[in-house]
Amino acid sequence: MTKRDLPSGMSEKEYYETQASEAEFLDWYQKQDLLKYETPSVTVDMVAYCFVDGQMKLLVIKRRAHPYQNRFALLGGFVEKTEDAYEACIREIKEEANLTIPRENVEQLMTVSSPNRDPRGWVITIAHLVYLPKEAMEQVRAGDDAKEVYFLDVDFKKATCQLNGQVLSAEDFAFDHYQIIQESIKRIQGRLDWNPTFLYLLEEPFTVYEGTDLVNTISPRRPIVSNNFLVKYKGFVEEAGVKRVPKKKPKKVYRLKRS
């Protein structure tokens, strides 16, 4: 379309944005010599927890290559064109740690778009919470960018990560992953009452005592007694039979309600 063909008083840009068909608009848009928006790369990072013997564990890797070689890092990687962020999480945790996780165990945590957060260029990350079964500690294997894999001990009361009793600082981690871990602790604790997705950490079926232990590990400043577990979380769990132990009274067991 030439300027002579445009409706009176209407610019070419206005015509294609408001009057032309979407196909005509897109064809016109791709031909413009206007300054193009720069396109960032997008990654996913996973704060992957599991609950073992009354202790919260965090799965991390030690980076094999630059940048941040030999620093601890969350599992993650670049999102491919053919997948969404959740699919990228599931693929990356399989590639980097040899673990297969269901979709319901992945929860979006936050988007981090701070300038210069990655020395390789403009990279925006979508961080996720991932809830792993305790068997993950035996199944995990290093791969891809991982030099080694580790399970750090996480103290939710002090908001610290430890390896072999040594408290780690932000400088021990790659990129801004230490800050993402801090936000994950706040998220889990902040949604303790109304959206307790952390219950996916429990091995099903579980007893109220196991559930109470998990709650008090996550929220040590507001502990509950086992009698209050079902009062607090009855809308999220359901009975799943009984657990029989020799010479002891059978205990009721529970599982998470599925939507």
Side-chain angles (χ1 to χ4, degrees), residues 70-112:
N70 296 321
R71 301 266 193 104
F72 293 113
L74 300 172
L75 275 70
F78 289 92
V79 179
E80 297 179 355
K81 287 184 178 181
T82 56
E83 61 189 3
D84 63 24
Y86 288 102
E87 292 168 335
C89 286
I90 292 169
R91 174 181 55 77
E92 284 290 345
I93 202 167
K94 180 64 175 177
E95 292 177 356
E96 293 199 353
N98 192 40
L99 295 174
T100 301
I101 54 172
R103 166 66 178 77
E104 60 264 27
N105 284 38
V106 183
E107 173 189 344
Q108 192 171 134
L109 171 63
M110 63 190 297
T111 299
V112 187

Side-chain angles (χ1 to χ4, degrees), residues 148-213:
E148 298 173 81
V149 290
Y150 294 86
F151 279 94
L152 306 180
D153 294 325
V154 183
D155 186 329
F156 269 56
K157 184 175 183 179
K158 298 178 180 179
T160 58
C161 297
Q162 299 180 41
L163 180 63
N164 299 326
Q166 180 181 351
V167 176
L168 304 176
S169 68
E171 286 69 34
D172 294 307
F173 289 85
F175 308 103
D176 43 16
H177 290 185
Y178 183 81
Q179 289 75 20
I180 293 174
I181 294 168
Q182 296 298 307
E183 288 300 319
S184 77
I185 294 173
K186 294 177 184 176
R187 162 68 69 86
I188 293 173
Q189 291 178 331
R191 297 171 62 171
L192 198 71
D193 298 334
W194 63 276
N195 192 12
T197 50
F198 67 88
L199 293 174
Y200 280 108
L201 291 167
L202 292 170
E203 182 179 7
E204 296 184 340
F206 53 85
T207 66
V208 294
Y209 304 100
E210 292 166 336
T212 301
D213 190 21

Side-chain angles (χ1 to χ4, degrees), residues 222-259:
R222 292 195 300 141
I224 63 172
V225 295
S226 57
N227 289 343
N228 287 341
F229 179 82
L230 290 180
V231 175
K232 195 177 184 72
Y233 297 111
K234 63 182 179 181
F236 303 96
V237 302
E238 61 188 9
E239 286 190 28
V242 295
K243 181 178 183 180
R244 301 185 183 279
V245 180
K247 298 181 180 181
K248 290 187 178 181
K249 183 180 178 180
K251 297 178 181 178
K252 287 184 178 181
V253 290
Y254 300 85
R255 63 187 173 216
L256 297 182
K257 289 181 179 179
R258 306 300 188 202
S259 55

